[in-house]
Amino acid sequence: MTPRTSEQDDTGHQGAPDHDWPAGAQPLTRYVERGVQWVRAFDRRRPLVWDLLLTGFFVFAAFIDVVGGGWHHIAANKDTPLWLVWAMTTAFTVPLLWRRRHPLAVYAVMTLAALLNTWSGAILQAALTQLVVVFNIAMRLPARILAWTYGLIVVPPVIGHLRHPQGSWDQQVVPTMMSLAIVALMGIAFRTRQEYLASLVQRAKQLEVERDQQARLATHAERTRIAREMHDIIGHNLSVITTLADGGSYAAAKSPERAAQALTAIGTTSRQALTELRRLLDVLREETPEAAALAPQPALTDLDQLIDGVRAAGLPVRSTVLGRADSLPAGRQLTVYRVVQEALTNTLKHGGPEATAYVEVAYGDDGVRVTVTDTGVGGPRQPIAESGGRGLSGMRERTALYDGTLEAGPLPHPPGGWHVELRLPEEPAP
């Protein structure tokens, strides 16, 4: 037996939230459901009050039947002692107070009272309270208990017919069996509905959790993408500006013309960085598809401009392009561009003043391969797996989007330097 908690109402309902009604729902249906919901809510808040009210109703009705002598009209033996009638009436009604917490114990007490009732011939109407107990058993206990309960509760009317035969057998036994069967089916129906509603509520909660998880994952992915774009846009341009500023301050005393050229390049690079940053921020502010088109999406046609900017910052760069990129999708072109950009930015940061770089892009039937090497001898650069910055990890994330491979690491000494190699397979056919 399952102890009843304050969360359950008289039908064992767990208090599922009230649902939204469709537009075509009938007013009567709404009123009935609202009344049921009110009763259930009251039962959850005041379970003892509800039990006392329901039990008190049956006690009052049964005692009125005894005091008014109504039981004499259907009794098979009108000489049944009055004290026995009162005892049976009490056994049929008062135990209803515990019908939900201890349904089997209440059923046992009522079964004894039912045997006395039919054996004595009193045939009290209070015996109908057994239907309430059968309903609770059907609601809360396993089907096998309900089966033998039903079989046992039919015994008293059979004994009563044998001891006090009045009318045919089906007039005394069959109505009782049918009434108990209908009540048991009602309990099963309510229990099925309760479990179905509970499963719907549980499923709704699971969907809410999954929705929140998906939202958090999407937010995290978008933050990562924004951080990667900001790093690629701002980090590269600031590295170029820093290198130009250092070179300009060094050349200011010896070659004012070179210093002026460095300042001009700084201004051009700064304006380009601000333009790309504004476009990215506009995309973040707006939610329209037109705004998304403003997102900075460099292509491989912009690769020469990128290399020229790095050269202007003082890093000698040689480039070689094998094949044509006409059929390369825009997303893969962006990945190639960003990897080259980040590799050259790292050379500017760590390569030292004497570093040179070489960029090779090869397009073939099996995909695209990008190699960026330098002769830098500056500070050490960590491999991708060990790097805590966003540059190399961003390169790795972009590569993983297209099932590519990325290798980065130092070259053997001599001559030393750094090596980055990107391989993107051919896009599979739809």
Coordinates of all heavy atoms in Angstrom, one line a residue, residues 107 111 114-115 118 148-162 173 176-177 180:
Y107 N -11.3 -2.2 3.9 CA -12.1 -3.2 3.2 C -12.3 -4.5 4.0 O -13.4 -5.1 4.0 CB -11.3 -3.6 1.9 CG -11.7 -4.9 1.3 CD1 -12.9 -4.9 0.5 CD2 -11.0 -6.1 1.4 CE1 -13.3 -6.1 -0.1 CE2 -11.5 -7.3 0.8 CZ -12.6 -7.3 0.1 OH -13.0 -8.4 -0.5
T111 N -16.0 -5.9 5.0 CA -16.3 -7.2 4.6 C -17.0 -8.0 5.7 O -18.0 -8.7 5.6 CB -15.1 -8.0 4.0 OG1 -14.6 -7.3 2.9 CG2 -15.5 -9.4 3.6
A114 N -20.3 -6.7 6.2 CA -21.2 -7.1 5.1 C -21.7 -8.5 5.4 O -22.8 -8.9 5.1 CB -20.5 -7.0 3.8
L115 N -20.8 -9.4 5.9 CA -21.2 -10.8 6.2 C -22.3 -10.8 7.3 O -23.3 -11.5 7.2 CB -20.0 -11.6 6.6 CG -19.0 -11.9 5.5 CD1 -17.7 -12.5 6.2 CD2 -19.6 -12.9 4.5
T118 N -25.7 -9.5 5.8 CA -26.5 -10.4 5.0 C -26.9 -11.6 5.8 O -28.0 -12.2 5.6 CB -25.7 -10.9 3.8 OG1 -24.4 -11.4 4.2 CG2 -25.4 -9.7 2.8
W148 N -9.0 -10.3 -6.5 CA -9.4 -11.1 -5.4 C -10.3 -10.3 -4.5 O -11.2 -10.8 -3.7 CB -8.3 -11.8 -4.7 CG -7.3 -11.0 -3.9 CD1 -6.1 -10.6 -4.3 CD2 -7.5 -10.4 -2.6 NE1 -5.5 -9.9 -3.3 CE2 -6.3 -9.8 -2.2 CE3 -8.6 -10.5 -1.6 CZ2 -6.2 -9.1 -1.0 CZ3 -8.4 -9.8 -0.4 CH2 -7.2 -9.2 -0.1
T149 N -10.2 -9.0 -4.4 CA -11.1 -8.1 -3.6 C -12.5 -8.2 -4.2 O -13.5 -8.4 -3.5 CB -10.6 -6.7 -3.7 OG1 -9.3 -6.6 -3.0 CG2 -11.6 -5.8 -2.9
Y150 N -12.6 -8.1 -5.5 CA -13.9 -8.2 -6.2 C -14.5 -9.6 -5.9 O -15.7 -9.7 -5.7 CB -13.7 -8.0 -7.7 CG -15.0 -8.1 -8.4 CD1 -15.9 -7.0 -8.4 CD2 -15.4 -9.2 -9.2 CE1 -17.1 -7.1 -9.1 CE2 -16.6 -9.3 -9.9 CZ -17.4 -8.2 -9.8 OH -18.6 -8.3 -10.5
G151 N -13.7 -10.6 -6.0 CA -14.2 -12.0 -5.8 C -14.7 -12.2 -4.4 O -15.7 -12.9 -4.2
L152 N -14.0 -11.6 -3.4 CA -14.4 -11.8 -2.0 C -15.6 -11.0 -1.6 O -16.4 -11.4 -0.8 CB -13.2 -11.4 -1.1 CG -13.4 -11.7 0.4 CD1 -13.6 -13.2 0.6 CD2 -12.1 -11.3 1.1
I153 N -15.8 -9.8 -2.3 CA -16.8 -8.9 -1.9 C -18.2 -9.4 -2.4 O -19.2 -8.9 -2.0 CB -16.6 -7.5 -2.3 CG1 -17.2 -6.5 -1.4 CG2 -17.1 -7.3 -3.8 CD1 -16.7 -5.0 -1.6
V154 N -18.2 -10.4 -3.3 CA -19.4 -10.9 -3.8 C -19.9 -12.0 -2.9 O -21.1 -12.4 -3.0 CB -19.2 -11.5 -5.2 CG1 -20.5 -12.1 -5.8 CG2 -18.8 -10.4 -6.2
V155 N -19.1 -12.5 -2.0 CA -19.5 -13.6 -1.1 C -20.7 -13.2 -0.2 O -21.6 -14.0 0.0 CB -18.3 -14.1 -0.3 CG1 -18.7 -15.1 0.8 CG2 -17.2 -14.7 -1.2
P156 N -20.7 -12.0 0.5 CA -21.8 -11.7 1.4 C -23.2 -11.8 0.7 O -24.1 -12.4 1.3 CB -21.5 -10.3 1.9 CG -20.0 -10.3 1.8 CD -19.6 -11.0 0.6
P157 N -23.4 -11.2 -0.5 CA -24.7 -11.3 -1.1 C -25.1 -12.7 -1.4 O -26.3 -13.1 -1.3 CB -24.7 -10.4 -2.3 CG -23.2 -10.3 -2.6 CD -22.6 -10.3 -1.3
V158 N -24.2 -13.6 -1.8 CA -24.5 -15.0 -2.0 C -24.9 -15.7 -0.8 O -25.9 -16.4 -0.7 CB -23.2 -15.7 -2.6 CG1 -23.5 -17.2 -2.8 CG2 -22.9 -15.1 -4.0
I159 N -24.2 -15.4 0.4 CA -24.6 -16.0 1.6 C -26.0 -15.5 2.0 O -26.9 -16.2 2.6 CB -23.6 -15.7 2.7 CG1 -22.3 -16.4 2.4 CG2 -24.1 -16.1 4.1 CD1 -21.1 -16.1 3.3
G160 N -26.2 -14.2 1.8 CA -27.5 -13.6 2.2 C -28.7 -14.2 1.4 O -29.8 -14.5 1.9
H161 N -28.4 -14.5 0.1 CA -29.5 -15.2 -0.7 C -29.8 -16.6 -0.2 O -30.9 -17.0 -0.2 CB -29.1 -15.2 -2.2 CG -30.0 -15.9 -3.0 ND1 -31.3 -15.5 -3.3 CD2 -29.9 -17.1 -3.7 CE1 -31.9 -16.3 -4.1 NE2 -31.1 -17.4 -4.3
L162 N -28.7 -17.3 0.2 CA -28.9 -18.7 0.6 C -29.6 -18.7 2.0 O -30.4 -19.6 2.3 CB -27.5 -19.4 0.7 CG -26.8 -19.6 -0.6 CD1 -25.4 -20.2 -0.3 CD2 -27.6 -20.5 -1.5
V173 N -27.9 -11.1 -6.3 CA -26.5 -11.2 -6.5 C -26.0 -10.4 -7.7 O -25.0 -9.6 -7.6 CB -26.0 -12.6 -6.6 CG1 -24.5 -12.7 -6.8 CG2 -26.5 -13.4 -5.4
T176 N -25.4 -6.5 -7.4 CA -24.2 -6.2 -6.6 C -23.0 -6.4 -7.4 O -22.1 -5.5 -7.4 CB -24.2 -7.1 -5.4 OG1 -25.4 -6.9 -4.6 CG2 -23.0 -6.8 -4.5
M177 N -22.9 -7.5 -8.2 CA -21.7 -7.7 -9.0 C -21.6 -6.7 -10.1 O -20.5 -6.2 -10.3 CB -21.8 -9.1 -9.6 CG -21.9 -10.3 -8.6 SD -22.1 -11.9 -9.4 CE -20.6 -12.0 -10.4
L180 N -20.4 -3.3 -8.5 CA -18.9 -3.4 -8.1 C -18.1 -3.4 -9.4 O -17.0 -2.7 -9.4 CB -18.7 -4.6 -7.3 CG -19.3 -4.7 -5.9 CD1 -19.1 -6.1 -5.3 CD2 -18.7 -3.6 -5.0

